[in-house]
């Protein structure tokens, strides 16, 4: 009888996790589309030096300087906006076979 109870609890946990995962994916997609349309802009942020910087519209180009940041951007579906990465990010994307997720640019552009 205990085995059935444990199995039932596991199925409930898996079901809840799957439901929350689907909800998270759909909500992040909705938020990304909402942000891209520019309804949050302009926004005012503080940079690393404490200066206030105004971002007037959705960024059309992104340069990533850390592999962890690059992976987050690609995971969020923003790879099409990445125009520059550091050598370690590109090496990691190559090893993961994800270089097609970023925009290809020549050195002259």
């Amino acid at each position: 009888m205990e085995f059935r109870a444990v199995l039932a609890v596991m199925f409930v946990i898996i079901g809840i996790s799957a439901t929350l995962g689907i909800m998270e994916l759909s909500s992040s997609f909705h938020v990304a589309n909402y942000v891209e349309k520019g309804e949050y802009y302009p926004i005012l942020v503080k940079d690393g030096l404490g200066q206030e910087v105004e971002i007037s519209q959705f960024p059309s180009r992104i340069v990533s300087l850390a592999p962890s940041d690059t992976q987050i951007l690609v995971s969020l579906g923003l790879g099409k906006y990445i125009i520059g990465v550091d050598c370690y990010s590109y090496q990691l994307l190559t090893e993961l076979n994800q270089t097609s997720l970023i925009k290809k640019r020549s050195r002259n552009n």
Side-chain angles (χ1 to χ4, degrees):
M1 188 67 174
E2 269 185 47
F3 178 73
R4 287 185 180 177
V6 170
L7 192 60
V9 169
M10 284 178 43
F11 278 122
V12 169
I13 290 172
I14 290 171
I16 291 172
S17 299
T19 303
L20 291 175
I22 291 169
M23 289 173 53
E24 178 65 27
L25 287 175
S26 65
S27 67
S28 64
F29 178 74
H30 175 70
V31 170
N33 286 338
Y34 186 72
V35 170
E36 191 170 337
K37 291 179 183 175
E39 300 189 23
Y40 282 124
Y41 296 97
I43 58 174
L44 198 61
V45 295
K46 284 191 178 183
D47 66 6
L49 299 175
Q51 301 171 341
E52 291 188 345
V53 178
E54 181 179 313
I55 301 174
S56 60
Q57 62 185 7
F58 185 79
S60 60
R61 297 178 293 178
I62 301 172
V63 175
S64 178
L65 300 177
S68 57
D69 295 341
T70 304
Q71 287 298 308
I72 291 170
L73 291 167
V74 169
S75 297
L76 290 173
L78 299 174
K80 60 186 175 185
Y81 299 110
I82 298 175
I83 62 162
V85 295
D86 61 302
C87 63
Y88 302 110
S89 294
Y90 192 78
Q91 180 182 7
L92 181 61
L93 288 171
T94 303
E95 290 177 14
L96 296 173
N97 199 20
Q98 293 183 337
T99 54
S100 63
L101 300 176
I102 62 172
K103 193 178 208 179
K104 299 282 194 250
R105 304 273 302 191
S106 66
R107 288 183 176 254
N108 296 333
N109 289 344

